[in-house]
Amino acid sequence: MDSYLSSVAARSNSRTARFLFSSSGNSPSGRHFTLMNLLCITLHGAVYSKLLEKARSYEAKKIAATDKESKPLFHISAPAGWINDPNGFSVYNGKIHLFYQYYPYLREWGPMHWGHSTTSDMIKWEQLPCVLAPDEEYDKKGCFSGSAIEADGKHVLVYTGVTRIKLPDGSEQERQNQCIAFGDGLNYVKHENNPVVTGDMLPENCSRIDFRDPKIWKEDDTYYLIVGSKDLNNVGQVVLCSSKNLTDWQFETILAANSTGKIGTMWECPDFFGLEDKHVLICSPQSMKADKYEFHNGHNSVYFLGDYDKENHVFIKEEPHTLDYGMDFYAPQTTLLPDGRRVMIAWMKSWDACVVPDSQDWQGMMTLPRELEIKDGRIWQKPVKEIENYRANKCHYTDKKIDCYTTFDGIKGRTLDMTVELSGEEYNNFTVEMACDDEYSTAFTYNRVAGMLEIDRTFCGVTKDVVCVRKIKIADTDRKLKLRFIVDRQSIELFINDGQQVATTAICTPLQADGISFNCDGSAVVDIEKYDII
Ligand code: FRU
């Protein structure tokens, strides 16, 4: 590894130096250089392309001009323009890093860059300059999703380079291949031999067009990549590749596939890791059909628990389950923290419901990172414990009877952590409305008899006809229903019964709508504990 990293660094620097000292500005070392990827050198000595420099200076101006109050307080949101999937969630040099799919110039998806933030506690994030731009022939159509790992002191990013090739008949076709870049936590250099994993390494019946979103890990002395894929019959799958040195890769196996045909088509953004005594495969399949109340139509994020035979690369998977029952959760990625916690973060949106108010010039947020554990054969999630360090103004009510529209002093706000515990059997429907006033509300209604919870954001301010209602079958109705709401201005994450189920919903409600109300068609009893998050 050492030699690979230093040789790439040396080659990359000499390439730059040659270019900088050439008087004509012709392509250095015979490589095809477009205007886009002419290299620049900054005062700090870091090397990057014109396209990256443009993105960095554009985002810096936008960030300086942003009204902070209009953004989430403790969730990552687009520094400028658009963000989607979390990428490269990893620990490096004592910090937690998160990258994301990023198009700084518009609030819509465009040629993908990688944006970058770091944190020590997953609540307060520091914005760092964008790290990747689509500035090479092999990624000119976008630096798509991927992951990161530390290797010999360097931070290594693994991403999908999207390009187009000319076919013999003169037409063009997309190609997705896996690329690497290495860096120091701030600046990253793409490897000279990119792409390092190509679709040509896969069996014949695997798509070369849909082959993306590598997730890397290391086991003993071998690096592994799991990559999203589909076969030529549109069956979603994930493929496993291995390497001893990060540059020379080989195809190992198709680790898992949509064997029942029910789990969508292309499996995007896979993740694979050990959790307690199981292995977990996460993926985000496209084009799913709703299956009762477990999966919804369109883009879903699902997980399979299973057993992994590491020697033979065989994963025996169990039934799939949904990761989040809300409306805005996609492409989750996990990392392992030094203290042993497996933490997951996701894009807090869905391709099927991208909508922001006309006045907002950015789009895209991440969920709160969540700690994962396995209980009763399912993944349970809870907000990272660090959120508790930001709680203030505790407001506590116990044994309050609710039999009509009710509000409580101190129970309101748009950045908060509130738990409501519900008991009693003399009612059918109990409703909590969040972010509400006379015009706006997002309602959470528990139908006790049916054991169903309905989320309705119809009146949250959306101006497009996107999905606004989701119904959740509560897994455990034998206990008091416990609803923990984490609200951060434009989002409501609901952790049901200590994280047995989770439902994430983005809202676009003006911030002055900060009311919280309770209502019941009979008589229920609640305990409420509410903190502001500051
Ligand atoms: C998932 C996804 C990935 C792809 C990225 C492009 O949301 O479609 O498969 O890498 O977004 O931005």
Side-chain angles (χ1 to χ4, degrees):
M1 258 301 302
D2 250 340
S3 59
Y4 131 68
L5 290 170
S6 45
S7 75
V8 175
R11 269 181 287 162
S12 151
N13 286 332
S14 67
R15 192 173 76 172
T16 313
R18 264 180 288 148
F19 172 68
L20 288 168
F21 292 117
S22 88
S23 52
S24 66
N26 286 338
S27 314
S29 58
R31 278 177 64 116
H32 170 72
F33 263 52
T34 62
L35 252 191
M36 285 187 326
N37 63 8
L38 292 179
L39 295 169
C40 301
I41 202 152
T42 68
L43 286 178
H44 316 290
V47 177
Y48 48 80
S49 70
K50 281 278 187 211
L51 211 59
L52 187 58
E53 189 198 11
K54 182 178 160 205
R56 285 182 165 194
S57 61
Y58 183 83
E59 72 182 355
K61 277 192 217 115
K62 282 302 260 190
I63 292 165
T66 300
D67 164 22
K68 284 209 172 67
E69 302 291 308
S70 68
K71 294 290 198 64
L73 179 68
F74 53 96
H75 288 72
I76 289 186
S77 59
W82 161 280
I83 64 170
N84 56 288
D85 315 352
N87 296 157
F89 194 24
S90 55
V91 179
Y92 175 73
N93 255 353
K95 286 266 185 182
I96 300 168
H97 292 251
L98 189 80
F99 304 84
Y100 24 83
Q101 292 287 279
Y102 182 31
Y103 186 60
Y105 306 109
L106 284 178
R107 61 177 208 182
E108 276 84 41
W109 190 89
M112 283 289 108
H113 297 55
W114 274 36
H116 188 194
S117 301
T118 53
T119 182
S120 301
D121 66 2
M122 295 169 285
I123 305 296
K124 286 282 177 254
W125 294 85
E126 186 190 349
Q127 187 65 54
L128 294 180
C130 163
V131 295
L132 297 178
D135 51 16
E136 293 283 353
E137 182 60 30
Y138 56 79
D139 62 17
K140 65 182 179 188
K141 292 289 172 188
C143 300
F144 275 19
S145 284
S147 52
I149 195 169
E150 172 165 359
D152 286 347
K154 294 286 193 286
H155 202 196
V156 183
L157 310 183
V158 191
Y159 69 98
T160 301
V162 182
T163 193
R164 287 183 83 76
I165 57 159
K166 266 223 157 33
L167 298 178
D169 67 2
S171 63
E172 286 200 355
Q173 210 178 51
E174 190 165 307
R175 283 291 176 274
Q176 299 184 344
N177 297 306
Q178 316 321 318
C179 304
I180 58 176
F182 67 92
D184 59 2
L186 197 58
N187 296 298
Y188 293 79
V189 178
K190 294 177 182 173
H191 192 281
E192 206 174 57
N193 293 343
N194 276 339
V196 292
V197 186
T198 66
D200 297 335
M201 297 178 181
L202 304 179
E204 290 256 299
N205 67 341
C206 296
S207 167
R208 271 74 176 138
I209 301 175
D210 287 293
F211 176 44
R212 58 180 177 271
D213 312 335
K215 175 74 197 273
I216 191 166
W217 73 96
K218 195 178 183 190
E219 245 166 60
D220 305 324
D221 62 347
T222 308
Y223 295 98
Y224 289 97
L225 272 187
I226 188 175
V227 191
S229 166
K230 66 180 187 190
D231 72 12
L232 298 181
N233 295 319
N234 266 336
V235 174
Q237 58 188 18
V238 288
V239 303
L240 181 73
C241 302
S242 71
S243 168
K244 292 282 180 206
N245 60 8
L246 289 173
T247 47
D248 305 308
W249 289 87
Q250 66 183 46
F251 168 79
E252 290 288 347
T253 189
I254 292 174
L255 191 71
N258 180 8
S259 37
T260 60
K262 289 188 172 168
I263 309 299
T265 52
M266 170 67 190
W267 283 8
E268 298 190 303
C269 300
D271 198 345
F272 190 59
F273 52 89
L275 187 64
E276 295 159 35
D277 58 351
K278 289 299 218 183
H279 252 77
V280 183
L281 172 66
I282 288 179
C283 62
S284 294
Q286 298 181 312
S287 310
M288 277 181 68
K289 275 193 234 152
D291 183 3
K292 298 288 177 288
Y293 294 105
E294 190 61 18
F295 302 119
H296 53 264
N297 295 320
H299 292 83
N300 280 246
S301 291
V302 310
Y303 70 93
F304 301 86
L305 297 183
D307 295 310
Y308 183 46
D309 170 355
K310 290 181 185 182
E311 305 308 313
N312 300 305
H313 304 135
V314 176
F315 178 57
I316 309 284
K317 59 181 173 26
E318 300 165 10
E319 288 296 295
H321 301 290
T322 207
L323 269 168
D324 189 291
Y325 293 86
M327 286 171 260
D328 297 285
F329 182 96
Y330 196 64
Q333 191 172 91
T334 71
T335 194
L336 186 64
L337 298 183
D339 63 14
R341 282 180 291 168
R342 174 63 62 172
V343 177
M344 175 179 76
I345 191 165
W347 179 32
M348 195 151 57
K349 256 288 153 215
S350 161
W351 290 114
D352 301 312
C354 286
V355 52
V356 288
D358 287 342
S359 56
Q360 189 176 307
D361 65 356
W362 60 274
Q363 176 159 206
M365 305 176 279
M366 296 296 159
T367 64
L368 203 61
R370 301 167 182 179
E371 298 168 15
L372 304 185
E373 59 181 327
I374 298 180
K375 277 196 218 168
D376 309 324
R378 295 292 166 92
I379 289 187
W380 291 42
Q381 304 165 43
K382 52 178 188 255
V384 285
K385 64 175 191 292
E386 287 81 352
I387 184 82
E388 288 159 32
N389 300 333
Y390 294 87
R391 286 169 161 181
N393 308 328
K394 179 173 176 177
C395 205
H396 198 184
Y397 293 91
T398 47
D399 280 334
K400 290 290 172 193
K401 190 166 147 192
I402 310 274
D403 53 12
C404 59
Y405 174 86
T406 310
T407 57
F408 294 95
D409 280 350
I411 304 287
K412 63 175 188 152
R414 288 289 289 272
T415 54
L416 55 88
D417 180 352
M418 177 178 84
T419 300
V420 178
E421 210 167 330
L422 186 62
S423 52
E425 296 192 341
E426 290 157 26
Y427 69 94
N428 289 337
N429 291 298
F430 170 87
T431 299
V432 185
E433 285 187 75
M434 312 286 298
C436 61
D437 62 7
D438 291 346
E439 185 174 357
Y440 299 104
S441 95
T442 295
F444 298 79
T445 299
Y446 179 53
N447 182 320
R448 188 186 60 81
V449 182
M452 301 288 297
L453 182 85
E454 180 184 276
I455 306 175
D456 186 347
R457 65 167 172 198
T458 307
F459 305 114
C460 80
V462 283
T463 52
K464 295 275 185 306
D465 193 13
V466 294
V467 63
C468 281
V469 175
R470 193 73 98 214
K471 288 186 175 145
I472 305 162
K473 180 135 196 62
I474 298 298
D476 184 356
T477 48
D478 290 339
R479 54 174 285 179
K480 283 188 189 175
L481 183 68
K482 197 170 173 187
L483 304 174
R484 181 174 176 193
F485 298 91
I486 306 275
V487 179
D488 188 4
R489 294 185 179 145
Q490 291 92 343
S491 64
I492 305 174
E493 288 167 280
L494 171 61
F495 296 82
I496 302 167
N497 288 339
D498 300 309
Q500 187 175 21
Q501 291 167 295
V502 188
T504 300
T505 306
I507 56 172
C508 42
T509 313
L511 292 183
Q512 64 271 19
D514 65 352
I516 297 176
S517 69
F518 302 83
N519 211 337
C520 186
D521 61 3
S523 165
V525 176
V526 292
D527 290 347
I528 306 168
E529 187 173 312
K530 181 237 150 191
Y531 301 85
D532 292 325
I533 299 295
I534 56 168

